[in-house]
DNA sequence: ATAGGTGCAAAGAGTTTGCATATAA
DNA sequence: TTATATGCAAACTCTTTGCACCTAT
């Protein structure tokens, strides 16, 4: 999903396309699953008077219309990323780094349950997102 | 992993086995991925003067020794669960409910990309936990 | 005996809200 | 034109911290 598609979806959803919002979308592509505050800090380079409210508010709306996903792994603050269908992350319990796994996917899968790989994988979980049976029935 | 195994791991890690901590472990089994505050509230039934500090502190230590995992999906507060190797959750974007998927796993997998199932699956992600290559090399 | 845990209260951090002003449509 | 977004500041919620007392080992 490219930037223009995201902006189209925002228009469809009745959201206004402001320069701030466009830049937030751009930063979501540029930065690697940033926190709200990381986006805020980058924003200030282009919009020195941007407020936290704008960043949080926009991220929340992008999430509601389904183009952004909020991630957290028990760090203080949430991370955000553009929604793509398949998603793989590796979370290091030592340094707290969150890796995107497009490149390392097979290596991590192989590493699961062995000690012979650069990544040491202790466990994994799978998260599905959508509408549950109960809400679907309404 | 049963309660006694968890308590053994706590001893091995040099943690003291207090009545409060035993009860927190029990509640982690009884409740379905509770928040810290849900555990705190249940605690007060047995320990009327328990403090938030005790609950948060204990959950953190259980997490560090690897028997508890902290989950979050952008709700205000984190959810906690006992670590088991394979983990599947379904997160409903309408009601916010988090379902354990042992029973529904196949149904959810089938539902991915179709409209013919009770669960409507929009996307998924996979989270691995362990030690990254960089930290492993140290 | 003593290192570590508990309960209390206050502080900290991230996020949200209310409101006046500004702006996209 | 006008409904919506922005920026500011204050409020709110979740989590952590400091400290005196207590307790598991």
């Amino acid at each position: 999903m490219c930037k223009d598609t995201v902006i189209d979806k925002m228009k469809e959803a009745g959201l206004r396309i402001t320069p701030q919002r466009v830049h937030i979308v751009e930063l979501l592509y540029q930065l690697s699953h940033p926190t709200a505050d990381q986006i805020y800090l980058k924003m200030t380079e282009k919009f020195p008077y941007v407020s936290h409210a704008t960043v949080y508010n926009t991220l929340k709306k992008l999430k509601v219309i389904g183009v952004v996903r909020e991630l957290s792994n028990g760090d203080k603050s949430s991370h955000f990323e553009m929604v793509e269908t398949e998603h793989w992350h590796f979370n290091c319990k030592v340094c707290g780094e969150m890796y995107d796994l497009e490149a390392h996917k097979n290596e991590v899968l192989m590493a699961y349950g062995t000690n012979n790989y650069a990544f040491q994988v202790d466990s994994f979980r799978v998260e599905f997102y959508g509408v549950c049976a109960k809400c679907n029935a309404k």
Side-chain angles (χ1 to χ4, degrees), chain A:
Chain A
M1 190 158 53
C2 69
K3 177 181 152 188
D4 290 343
T5 312
V6 170
I7 290 181
D8 284 346
K9 289 211 174 205
M10 291 168 71
K11 284 181 187 166
E12 279 170 37
L15 300 186
R16 287 197 188 159
I17 310 307
T18 65
Q20 289 93 331
R21 287 183 171 173
V22 171
H23 197 48
I24 288 173
V25 170
E26 287 166 355
L27 290 176
L28 281 163
Y29 283 108
Q30 282 172 37
L31 305 172
S32 180
H33 22 69
T35 62
D37 199 55
Q38 286 171 330
I39 292 171
Y40 169 79
L41 286 174
K42 267 283 181 192
M43 283 291 285
T44 59
E45 294 174 10
K46 199 163 175 180
F47 300 91
Y49 297 104
V50 70
S51 73
H52 290 274
T54 299
V55 174
Y56 281 104
N57 172 41
T58 299
L59 288 172
K60 196 176 217 178
K61 300 213 169 186
L62 293 176
K63 189 180 158 195
V64 167
I65 68 171
V67 301
V68 157
R69 181 155 49 218
E70 186 172 358
L71 306 169
S72 172
N73 293 290
D75 294 358
K76 301 217 169 192
S77 45
S78 287
H79 297 249
F80 295 86
E81 67 178 8
M82 301 309 298
V83 167
E84 309 289 343
T85 45
E86 261 196 39
H87 243 84
W88 302 71
H89 290 131
F90 180 88
N91 299 274
C92 179
K93 70 180 178 187
V94 177
C95 62
E97 187 77 27
M98 182 190 270
Y99 294 85
D100 269 327
L101 281 193
E102 268 109 78
H104 297 294
K105 194 156 88 178
N106 289 332
E107 191 183 8
V108 166
L109 281 177
M110 298 292 283
Y112 185 66
T114 82
N115 293 311
N116 302 319
Y117 289 85
F119 287 90
Q120 175 202 317
V121 182
D122 296 337
S123 67
F124 71 92
R125 64 181 172 114
V126 185
E127 296 290 324
F128 289 90
Y129 300 91
V131 183
C132 71
K134 211 184 292 174
C135 290
N136 237 348
K138 281 172 193 164

